[in-house]
Amino acid sequence: MEHGSATATASPNIAFVKYWGKRDEELILPYNSSVSMTLDDSLNTVTSVLFSKELNADRFFINGEEQDLSDNDIAERFKVVGIMRRKAGSADHVLVVSRNSFPTASGLASSASGTAALAYACSRALGLKLSAKELSIIARQGSGSSCRSILGGIVVWKKGRNADGSDSYAKRIAKKEQWPDLIDIIAIVSTERKRVLSRSGMQQTVESSSLFKARAKFAERNSRDFAKAVKSKDFDSMASIIMKESNDMHAVMLDTYPPIIYLNDVSKEIIAAIHGLNESSGKALAAYTFDAGPNAHIITLKGNEEAVRNALSRVDGIRETITAGIGSGPRALSEKDSLIDMERLMPKS
Ligand code: 2P0
C-alpha cells in the first residue's frame, strides 16, 4: 500500500467495577475483571492517522501540540501503532493527529478514548479487518481502560488467565438500547492535574497494599453480580455495586504506602448527599463513583436527573456539571472530517 489514512472517533468510559492493578505491566493484564459504560459523543476524541512513505518520521499531535515520542507515557500509548504496523507488514511512518472535545474543565482522562480511537483509525488506515475482540486486545496494550472503549453500551473487560493476554479483552454485556436512560452526571470539583498518575499509582498499590490482595476476589465477584443485575434490569443492585466498588478502590488507594488520596472534602459531601437522597427515596435513585481524581460521576436514570441535581445543588464546591449518556462505541468518520492536511502532511490549522 502506498499510503493509507483514516479518521475515527471514540468516547471515554466510566468504570462501575474498577480496574486498579496489573498482574503484567508489559501486556497490561489486570488482577480483576472490570465493568464500564461507554459514554456518548458529548465527550469524545477524534483521531486521524496517515501511514505514508513520504513521511520520514513518526509524529503525534494532541490538541495541536506535538508529543514527545520518547516520553514514557506517550510511548506506551503509541505501542498500538507498532502492533498494527507489524500486523499489516507495513514499514511506513505515521502521522497521528488527535483532538479531545472534552470541556477543558472536565478533568476526565483522555487515555481511554484516545487509545481506542487510535487503534480503530490505524486498523482502518492499514486495511486490517479486525474483530472487536482483536481491536480490544491491541488497545489494551496501549492503555488498559481503553480496551473497554472499543465497544458501546455496558462492557466487561475479562481479566483472562492466559500469560499472553489472548483472553483478556472487552465484551459487551448490554447494548445502549437496553439501557437507553442510563446517564453519567459528572460533577467537576477540581480541574487540577492529578499528582499521582494511574499507571504508577496502581503499581504502588500492588506492591504495598495488603488490602489489595483481598480486593481482587471481591472485584471479580462484583463483576459477575453486576452483569447479572444489568441483565435483570435491577438498577438498585447496580447502584449498590457501583458505590461499594468506588469505595473499595479508594480504600486500597489509602492503604497504599505512601497513601494515594484522590477524594477531597467536596467528594465526600457528594457521597453523603447521594446516600441521603437514596435513603429519603427508599430506593437507589443514583450511585456515585470516583476514578483517579476528586470529580464525581453520578450514575442515574434520566427520570431521576432532577432529583439528583437538587441533591447536588446543596453541596458547596461543585464548579459545574456535564451530563453524558450511554454511547455506541467508536466509529469511522469521513475524509472531510480528517484532521490532516494531505498536501502539507501536517495537522490542519
Ligand atoms: C478504571 N482507572 O477502571 C480505573 C478506575 C482509574 C480508576 O483505568 O496504565 O489509564 O494505561 O492501563 O487505563 C485508569 O487507568 O491505566 C483506569 P493504564 P488507565 O477506569
Side-chain angles (χ1 to χ4, degrees):
M1 176 189 304
E2 273 312 298
H3 73 262
S5 69
T7 298
T9 179
S11 292
N13 62 77
I14 177 67
F16 298 152
V17 175
K18 306 291 193 185
Y19 149 57
W20 190 259
K22 299 176 178 71
R23 64 175 202 276
D24 184 316
E25 287 187 71
E26 182 58 29
L27 289 170
I28 308 200
L29 299 175
Y31 271 100
N32 60 265
S33 303
S34 52
V35 184
S36 59
M37 150 171 120
T38 300
L39 302 180
D40 66 16
D41 272 357
S42 20
L43 302 161
N44 71 70
T45 300
V46 174
T47 298
S48 295
V49 302
L50 168 70
F51 290 90
S52 170
K53 299 210 181 327
E54 288 167 42
L55 294 163
N56 47 28
D58 288 342
R59 298 185 78 179
F60 185 15
F61 293 81
I62 302 178
N63 292 342
E65 257 177 61
E66 183 149 23
Q67 306 295 305
D68 177 3
L69 290 171
S70 64
D71 176 280
N72 269 348
D73 209 42
I74 302 297
E76 285 289 338
R77 304 201 193 299
F78 216 70
K79 246 163 84 175
V80 163
V81 174
I83 298 171
M84 290 287 184
R85 245 190 311 233
R86 278 197 296 285
K87 265 200 186 292
S90 163
D92 293 347
H93 283 297
V94 71
L95 169 63
V96 178
V97 183
S98 194
R99 193 176 292 154
N100 295 319
S101 81
F102 307 171
T104 42
S106 75
L108 269 172
S110 55
S111 78
S113 55
T115 310
L118 179 61
Y120 199 86
C122 283
S123 74
R124 292 187 71 100
L126 290 165
L128 292 166
K129 299 252 177 306
L130 300 177
S131 63
K133 170 181 164 181
E134 290 168 304
L135 272 172
S136 175
I137 287 176
I138 295 171
R140 188 202 73 222
Q141 295 172 69
S143 181
S145 56
S146 75
C147 79
R148 298 187 308 234
S149 274
I150 289 294
L151 292 149
I154 303 177
V155 173
V156 61
W157 170 14
K158 301 283 281 178
K159 75 180 176 78
R161 289 181 192 282
N162 300 344
D164 65 358
S166 54
D167 57 351
S168 184
Y169 57 91
K171 270 169 96 163
R172 178 160 40 222
I173 55 174
K175 284 190 181 162
K176 170 185 165 156
E177 291 73 20
Q178 290 169 268
W179 279 96
D181 292 340
L182 204 56
I183 54 171
D184 177 7
I185 304 173
I186 307 165
I188 308 297
V189 162
S190 162
T191 55
E192 247 178 70
R193 271 186 81 83
K194 48 189 171 192
R195 267 168 298 175
V196 183
L197 289 174
S198 302
R199 189 155 292 193
S200 53
M202 66 174 84
Q203 212 42 40
Q204 287 164 28
T205 300
V206 170
E207 284 160 17
S208 66
S209 164
S210 41
L211 292 186
F212 179 72
K213 293 178 180 63
R215 166 160 170 77
K217 231 196 288 176
F218 294 143
E220 209 48 41
R221 195 178 61 210
N222 283 340
S223 291
R224 282 195 300 272
D225 290 350
F226 195 87
K228 278 186 212 149
V230 165
K231 289 215 162 66
S232 57
K233 289 268 178 187
D234 179 358
F235 184 75
D236 224 75
S237 299
M238 286 163 66
S240 66
I241 296 172
I242 291 170
M243 293 185 278
K244 286 180 183 172
E245 262 296 314
S246 175
N247 297 340
D248 197 61
M249 179 182 73
H250 288 276
V252 301
M253 287 166 165
L254 184 62
D255 187 49
T256 300
Y257 195 81
I260 302 170
I261 302 170
Y262 287 119
L263 305 183
N264 66 18
D265 287 348
V266 185
S267 318
K268 291 172 195 166
E269 288 285 322
I270 294 174
I271 291 175
I274 297 300
H275 281 295
L277 171 70
N278 290 343
E279 273 156 33
S280 64
S281 313
K283 61 173 186 167
L285 294 192
Y288 54 80
T289 185
F290 298 82
D291 281 342
N295 297 328
H297 293 256
I298 309 300
I299 309 303
T300 188
L301 300 168
K302 278 179 193 159
N304 302 332
E305 187 172 356
E306 207 183 311
V308 171
R309 286 192 178 279
N310 247 327
L312 292 178
S313 71
R314 276 176 243 130
V315 178
D316 275 340
I318 298 177
R319 293 163 177 236
E320 61 168 319
T321 60
I322 299 161
T323 302
I326 184 165
S328 39
R331 62 175 204 281
L333 298 179
S334 68
E335 243 182 85
K336 73 171 172 32
D337 295 313
S338 175
L339 304 177
I340 296 176
D341 178 335
M342 294 294 175
E343 300 286 309
R344 294 164 49 239
L345 303 182
M346 282 295 282
K348 278 184 185 163
S349 41

